[in-house]
Amino acid sequence: MTFSHDTEQALGTLVRLVNTLPGPNSQVDTMGALEELEKFVQEREFSAVGILTDKDLTDVRELRPLFAPVFTTDSDAAAAAMINAIIARGTTTPRLTNHDGHPWHIHYSRDGSSLACRITVECGIALAQVISAGERERLRRCEAPDCDDALIDLSRNRSKRYCDARTCGNRLHVAAYRERRKASGE
């Protein structure tokens, strides 16, 4: 299944947002300061974002626990209910736009909407597209035993198991290799 660039961008934003929550092996909240929100906005290439405030930080932080359970549910109906509740929090006004050198694409929130509203609607609609395409199993958590980061598996054969192959995946492959060598007496 191939999703549009906009959907993939929104899903990437969602994964990055959910992964700012403290995890089981790290109690660090990486969205605790306004500077971290500003960095997030820059990294995710949000357009037309004005000056961010502490209210923006609070509002965006409050979205994380709403989106996080979507990555662990094993039911399309439960995922749909969560997503519908999330989308209902925002104000949608779909429109076509072609800003910043990007081709025509759809924005689902109004010009001037708060960052939290934009994230709510854009990411909620992206999740709705995943569920409506019958692809909920692409939303999951990292399989590394010491990581539970959210991930979206956009691979053709749905084979992505780790949030980052260079860190979690590589660490587990190296550990397995060392175990095999140790077991064989090398």
Side-chain angles (χ1 to χ4, degrees):
M1 179 82 206
T2 302
F3 295 104
S4 72
H5 170 76
D6 302 339
T7 299
E8 289 185 12
Q9 179 72 11
L11 292 169
T13 296
L14 177 59
V15 165
R16 172 73 172 82
L17 178 68
V18 169
N19 289 341
T20 65
L21 283 165
N25 297 309
S26 169
Q27 297 306 311
V28 177
D29 184 332
T30 59
M31 186 69 75
L34 194 53
E35 295 78 24
E36 291 166 323
L37 178 60
E38 290 166 347
K39 182 180 176 187
F40 172 80
V41 166
Q42 184 179 22
E43 286 174 359
R44 298 310 306 164
E45 299 178 348
F46 279 94
S47 61
V49 173
I51 296 171
L52 296 169
T53 66
D54 287 334
K55 178 166 178 22
D56 292 309
L57 177 62
T58 300
D59 292 348
V60 170
R61 287 172 50 88
E62 289 175 357
L63 295 176
R64 301 176 305 171
L66 300 176
F67 281 113
V70 175
F71 290 90
T72 56
T73 187
D74 59 359
S75 159
D76 287 355
M82 286 183 249
I83 294 164
N84 285 337
I86 290 167
I87 293 170
R89 293 172 55 104
T91 304
T92 62
T93 307
R95 63 188 171 78
L96 285 167
T97 184
N98 67 341
H99 59 85
D100 299 325
H102 295 289
W104 287 103
H105 59 282
I106 301 171
H107 279 193
Y108 293 96
S109 55
R110 292 184 184 146
D111 284 341
S113 293
S114 71
L115 179 60
C117 179
R118 289 175 63 188
I119 291 171
T120 298
V121 173
E122 302 289 335
C123 294
I125 296 290
L127 285 171
Q129 290 172 342
V130 171
I131 301 305
S132 67
E135 299 287 341
R136 180 190 42 78
E137 68 276 358
R138 291 183 181 274
L139 306 170
R140 59 177 77 119
R141 293 290 183 159
C142 182
E143 291 182 17
D146 58 344
C147 181
D148 77 335
D149 278 358
L151 66 91
I152 176 76
D153 181 358
L154 296 175
S155 67
R156 192 171 277 173
N157 63 356
R158 297 184 184 114
S159 62
K160 186 172 181 177
R161 297 174 48 208
Y162 307 110
C163 61
D164 185 348
R166 290 184 308 264
T167 54
C168 288
N170 191 46
R171 189 175 61 249
L172 289 175
H173 291 268
V174 168
Y177 171 77
R178 288 181 179 154
E179 272 301 310
R180 286 191 305 274
R181 288 194 56 145
K182 184 178 173 183
S184 69
E186 292 180 26

